[in-house]
Amino acid sequence: MTKKQRALEVIERLKKEYPDAGCTLDYDQAWKLLVSVRLAAQCTDARVNVVVEGLYEKYPTVEALAEAPVEDIEAIVRPCGLGKSKARDISACMKMLRDEYGGKVPDDFDALLKLPGVGRKSANLIMGDVFGKPAIVTDTHCIRLTNRIGLVDGIKEPKKVEMALWKIIPPEEGSDLCHRLVYHGREICTARTKPYCDRCCLADVCKKVGV
Ligand code: SF4
């Protein structure tokens, strides 16, 4: 089985297993996903979803958040950890959206990468989820699972995993696949316990590398 064949099989099986898998960060506007994705670094999505409620109650628009004192943002987002740097990035990012993009999130990968606090993972998430464009989000679950399954070989660096996956995954499938890998990584192919290969829908196509 080639990596490409394995990838297509994994895509189909995970589609059946998690038909509705989507982003687990709540948002109703693109800029809010930008804020949430910054807050989600080293924090659970569930906690982020609670914390942003307070943030948007006080600062409901890009303009309002761009005007907000950084210390005030920090006080609200502190429960997500790394409050100082997250608040600084969010403030700078909202100012840039306001000043350079008329308050709108740009639908261009390179432009997204230039926003403060936005790396490849976040930019891909926005491209896929907000704009429906090809995207591969290499978070911790994606990296762990693609290595175990044998879609990549011993690659841990997010950008290298992303580049390797672009070669074997149909572009339009990337975004959904990554969401499904998160679900599968939380429920079955877990990080903190031994993975539950005995009840995994990928058991016969997975190489189980390092398991
Ligand atoms: S078979 Fe095991 S290692 Fe492979 S994806 Fe499933 S749980 Fe993970």
Side-chain angles (χ1 to χ4, degrees), residues 34-41 51 55 59 62 64-96 116-117:
L34 263 183
V35 171
S36 290
V37 82
R38 180 66 190 95
L39 292 177
V51 167
L55 187 65
Y59 304 110
V62 169
L65 199 48
E67 292 293 326
V70 182
E71 310 75 56
D72 207 20
I73 300 176
E74 185 189 344
I76 297 172
V77 305
R78 194 171 291 132
C80 296
L82 307 171
K84 216 178 195 56
S85 65
K86 288 180 180 177
R88 197 183 49 222
D89 283 344
I90 288 169
S91 175
C93 184
M94 293 302 116
K95 285 188 171 80
M96 200 160 175

Side-chain angles (χ1 to χ4, degrees), residues 148-149 184 188-189 195-197 200 202-203 206 208 211:
R148 283 179 176 169
I149 295 167
H184 201 58
I188 304 289
C189 195
Y196 301 99
C197 302
C200 175
L202 306 176
C206 174
K208 304 186 185 74
V211 171

Side-chain angles (χ1 to χ4, degrees), residues 6-27:
R6 198 183 303 279
L8 291 178
E9 192 58 37
V10 167
I11 287 167
E12 288 315 310
R13 291 196 193 188
L14 291 182
K15 265 185 201 172
K16 288 199 187 98
E17 199 74 7
Y18 311 100
D20 302 321
C23 184
T24 47
L25 290 167
D26 297 338
Y27 68 98

